[in-house]
Amino acid sequence: MALYVVPGRVQPWTTLQMLEHARRAAIGRQLRQDIANMFQHDNATAFVRYQEVEVAEDFYSFVKPNTLLVMSTGISYVGRSSLFYSYDILSSQSRNVLGHSQCQLVRVNAKTRRPIAWPDVIIDKYGKKGQGRPVVPGPFKERIDPAVVYDVTVTNSDLDENHHANQSVYLRFCLDAAATGARRNVFSVIRDVAFCPIKKVGVLYQKEALLGDELTVELWEDEGCAETLCFQIRRGEEEITQITVQFYILDRARL
């Protein structure tokens, strides 16, 4: 049962799902065919490695269930084994930008899961000369003593079409853990997670979680920014996903 649910507000993991649908829908027919041909001949596949979303404060006053949004999506960078998508989240009425996101897709060997290069035809066709590679955070440098430890089991409703835990459910697991911590009053400035809108989310996917896996969410407050919570999801000692969430700290009366 989800502990972090705000009635009348689009849940943040739903936003991640919307971005994934937008990415798939926006890929041109030719790129889909290029990728399909590629994977068919060299036993390759691709996975999301990193995803980052930042939304304006106005997002929460405008976006409600059944609100129509426009997702403007494009390929922003193609490297040796990485391909980056960039998104703008727009109001369908004013076309004002309500948020921005980027997503790193890594091409890997389907068996070993090791990164392999995109063919030159993809780099030449979709790469942009002179554009630097977007910065992707690495794994946490050290293991911090967690303020909260939260256990969860992957269920059927958490799976995607590849039978892995869907990208968006990791955020839900983490926000449920954060809600538990807030109720215990373990944070410096975050008193009620449900009433602190999210400003920015960064998700680094490290390994796949499968049906029945028992996961542990470790949570602590960022030492340099009390509005940011850090999460490490583990399966035993294996690192599965790491997430950082920065909140807007607002007067509850304004919400």
Side-chain angles (χ1 to χ4, degrees):
M1 178 179 178
L3 302 176
Y4 178 100
V5 174
V6 185
R9 182 187 295 172
V10 176
Q11 307 307 329
W13 51 87
T14 302
T15 302
L16 289 187
Q17 290 176 327
M18 290 166 61
L19 290 169
E20 173 65 10
H21 293 320
R23 177 179 68 83
R24 294 188 178 194
I27 296 176
R29 180 180 302 175
Q30 185 59 53
L31 177 57
R32 285 200 300 270
Q33 189 60 51
D34 289 340
I35 291 176
N37 290 339
M38 220 170 25
F39 292 164
Q40 198 172 40
H41 290 102
D42 64 359
N43 195 33
T45 187
F47 289 103
V48 173
R49 169 66 170 163
Y50 179 72
Q51 188 171 16
E52 183 177 282
V53 184
E54 185 167 4
V55 296
E57 193 175 325
D58 290 347
F59 179 90
Y60 295 96
S61 58
F62 177 79
V63 179
K64 308 294 182 186
N66 298 317
T67 298
L68 182 62
L69 295 173
V70 175
M71 303 288 189
S72 175
T73 307
I75 297 174
S76 57
Y77 178 83
V78 180
R80 182 177 179 276
S81 59
S82 292
L83 186 152
F84 286 81
Y85 291 89
S86 181
Y87 310 75
D88 281 328
I89 305 171
L90 309 171
S91 161
S92 62
Q93 299 173 357
S94 66
R95 286 300 195 268
N96 289 339
V97 177
L98 300 172
H100 181 76
S101 177
Q102 70 172 4
C103 173
Q104 179 193 21
L105 195 68
V106 177
R107 185 170 184 255
V108 299
N109 182 284
K111 291 183 178 180
T112 67
R113 293 298 194 260
R114 290 185 176 275
I116 55 178
W118 296 100
D120 290 341
V121 64
I122 296 295
I123 297 174
D124 293 342
K125 190 171 184 178
Y126 300 104
K128 296 182 179 180
K129 294 182 179 180
Q131 187 162 359
R133 185 181 190 276
V135 177
V136 174
F140 293 130
K141 293 182 179 179
E142 56 183 336
R143 188 167 182 174
I144 305 296
D145 290 334
V148 176
V149 177
Y150 182 82
D151 295 323
V152 64
T153 301
V154 178
T155 66
N156 279 297
S157 62
D158 300 324
L159 302 182
D160 60 18
E161 61 194 34
N162 296 314
H163 305 291
H164 305 148
N166 183 265
Q167 303 158 14
S168 61
V169 303
Y170 294 118
L171 180 58
R172 173 163 52 84
F173 294 159
C174 290
L175 292 176
D176 282 348
T180 299
R183 290 175 182 177
R184 297 175 185 170
N185 200 30
V186 301
F187 306 128
S188 299
V189 297
I190 298 171
R191 295 290 175 255
D192 189 336
V193 174
F195 288 94
C196 292
I198 290 174
K199 179 180 181 180
K200 187 175 182 178
V201 174
V203 188
L204 181 67
Y205 303 99
Q206 296 164 301
K207 288 192 176 180
E208 303 151 8
L210 306 175
L211 178 64
D213 281 353
E214 296 180 355
L215 306 179
T216 299
V217 181
E218 297 177 350
L219 158 62
W220 62 93
E221 191 175 275
D222 186 278
E223 292 182 356
C225 179
E227 295 87 2
T228 299
L229 300 181
C230 303
F231 305 83
Q232 180 67 65
I233 301 177
R234 300 180 185 274
R235 179 176 53 215
E237 289 299 309
E238 282 187 296
E239 296 177 344
I240 301 299
T241 301
Q242 75 173 43
I243 296 180
T244 56
V245 180
Q246 183 180 6
F247 294 88
Y248 287 109
I249 306 301
L250 305 176
D251 184 343
R252 182 167 176 170
R254 293 171 57 193
L255 303 175

